[in-house]
Amino acid sequence: MDPESKSKWWRAGLLTVVGLGLAAAAPLAAQQLKPRATLRGHTGNVYCVAFSPDSKTLASSSSDRTVKLWDVWTGAGRATLRGHGEYVYAVAFSPDGKVLASAGLGQTILVWDAQTGKEIATGKRHGSAVSGLAFSPDGKMLATGGRDGTVRLWGARSGQERALLRGH
């Protein structure tokens, strides 16, 4: 199967990542699913994985303080992104797939060019360890969730904090 057909196959929901509601998301019985590949390269725990919007790249974050980019179809490592001084708990691709954001124990949000793996921006500090992040559907905002019980909204391009949400 060519990569474009495989990409359509993934987007059609014919395969799901374990833990995302297997019975509802995949037409295959759970016992029929077998790993397509095991991606090895991190030297610590893997905390988060995220597919690029075109399903061709997978990003993973780890306690080894790196983010790795993988070719989904070959399993080959594309890049190792270094810049975090502490565990990296979260990764997210922008909706257009051109940008990847990462954050973790060190509280700083790093923004990367998803094609080249080059760091393009260092965001402000969240105020506590960042346990999750997500881009808005239009790609203009980035939300971070921290261990301090807050969610912060940031301008994705400016890096400026737009809102602090409390209540968790």
Side-chain angles (χ1 to χ4, degrees):
M1 188 181 300
D2 65 279
E4 183 59 27
S5 297
K6 288 179 184 176
S7 181
K8 290 176 185 172
W9 185 74
W10 279 79
R11 286 194 302 264
L14 297 175
L15 184 66
T16 190
V17 176
V18 175
L20 295 179
L22 189 60
L28 301 172
Q31 64 270 19
Q32 292 176 319
L33 291 179
K34 293 184 176 131
R36 185 177 190 287
T38 300
L39 307 176
R40 298 185 193 281
H42 283 293
T43 58
N45 296 334
V46 172
Y47 289 115
C48 185
V49 293
F51 280 102
S52 62
D54 66 5
S55 300
K56 294 179 182 177
T57 302
L58 185 76
S60 58
S61 67
S62 172
S63 63
D64 66 10
R65 302 182 317 258
T66 68
V67 172
K68 290 193 178 284
L69 299 179
W70 308 88
D71 182 296
V72 170
W73 308 120
T74 67
R78 286 189 177 162
T80 299
L81 314 182
R82 291 180 171 85
H84 288 282
E86 299 285 343
Y87 293 5
V88 187
Y89 292 138
V91 290
F93 281 96
S94 63
D96 65 8
K98 293 180 180 179
V99 173
L100 178 76
S102 60
L105 188 61
Q107 306 175 23
T108 302
I109 303 145
L110 299 182
V111 181
W112 311 87
D113 180 305
Q115 292 299 316
T116 66
K118 302 287 184 198
E119 185 179 328
I120 55 177
T122 300
K124 305 269 182 169
R125 294 175 63 86
H126 179 89
S128 72
V130 176
S131 53
L133 52 83
F135 280 92
S136 62
D138 64 6
K140 293 181 180 178
M141 287 195 302
L142 181 67
T144 58
R147 288 189 178 174
D148 60 356
T150 66
V151 173
R152 294 173 191 257
L153 303 179
W154 309 86
R157 291 187 184 207
S158 68
Q160 295 300 309
E161 186 174 333
R162 292 191 179 172
L164 171 62
L165 310 175
R166 299 181 189 272
H168 280 286

